[in-house]
Amino acid sequence: MAQFVTGERITGVSGLLETFVHERPVAVASSALGGRGGDERGPVTVDDAAAFLARLSGGGMGVFEATRFAWGRKNAIRLEVNGSRGSLAFDFEDMNLLHFYDATDDPRTAGFRRIVVTEPEHPYGGHWWPAGHGLGYEHAFTHQVVDLVEALTAGEQPTPSFADGLGVQRVLDAVERSAAAASVWTSVPGPATAATQS
């Protein structure tokens, strides 16, 4: 999401991964998104927490964290972008709001603006409910399908693209390699060229 929003590529990382709980009950039943564990315990093969520092292609830096051990958080996919002209902040748990700070505002009255992005003028907002009625998790999937079909119909490359997805996987791979080597700085390979893809 950071790469997509900023238009910059993550070029290097220093990562740290941790598993806090090394054994968990082995699942004996599952349904929908849940399950039930039995008495048998098995090794945990996934990370409970990940953190990494990153360098962006434009010279900026990023700090990323993901964990399943953040009590009170449900799906806090948060992004904050700070620059010389201001800041933007977004939290998926409050997905109809964008927080914007304009660094050119009068310092005596400056502060974050809370922008409710449900007006018809906002992308996607005009295709749903009357102004002020929030969009939900399910609407995002409808928007993705519409964007994909419209791009394909126009003969254009969808965004995000499969190449964008590959770029994300390259970042994750670099984080894992860095963490396995005591958090050593690790470069992220650049976009694949036509010659390297064949």
Side-chain angles (χ1 to χ4, degrees):
M1 184 165 56
Q3 293 183 117
F4 184 75
V5 168
T6 64
E8 295 189 11
R9 191 174 67 76
I10 294 175
T11 60
V13 297
S14 174
L16 187 62
L17 304 175
E18 186 62 58
T19 301
F20 302 120
V21 178
H22 297 281
E23 285 189 343
R24 291 194 176 104
V26 174
V28 295
S30 62
S31 63
L33 298 176
R36 184 172 52 84
D39 294 332
E40 181 184 353
R41 299 183 73 78
V44 173
T45 59
V46 297
D47 305 306
D48 289 323
F52 66 96
L53 301 175
R55 177 64 70 189
L56 299 170
S57 56
M61 56 183 272
V63 179
F64 297 83
E65 174 194 14
T67 183
R68 60 174 72 220
F69 279 82
W71 286 106
R73 301 291 181 200
K74 301 301 181 187
N75 196 16
I77 302 171
R78 302 167 64 122
L79 177 68
E80 187 167 329
V81 179
N82 303 294
S84 59
R85 295 178 12 191
S87 297
L88 291 172
F90 172 78
D91 182 348
F92 192 70
E93 288 183 357
D94 205 0
M95 65 186 292
N96 287 275
L97 289 180
L98 180 67
H99 295 270
F100 169 64
Y101 183 92
D102 186 343
T104 65
D105 283 348
D106 182 337
R108 295 170 298 173
T109 57
F112 273 92
R113 287 186 217 154
R114 183 177 167 269
I115 302 170
V116 181
V117 291
T118 57
E119 295 299 318
E121 293 77 14
H122 291 113
Y124 309 113
H127 301 291
W128 290 101
W129 321 121
H133 290 71
L135 301 183
Y137 177 71
E138 70 281 9
H139 298 104
F141 293 98
T142 302
H143 300 156
Q144 290 171 26
V145 170
V146 169
D147 286 350
L148 174 66
V149 171
E150 285 181 348
L152 294 175
T153 301
E156 299 170 354
Q157 177 67 39
T159 56
S161 66
F162 287 105
D164 294 327
L166 175 60
V168 170
Q169 292 306 309
R170 287 181 169 157
V171 171
L172 298 177
D173 176 67
V175 170
E176 286 187 358
R177 288 186 287 118
S178 172
S183 302
V184 67
W185 189 259
T186 304
S187 293
V188 177
T193 63
T196 60
Q197 291 177 356
S198 56

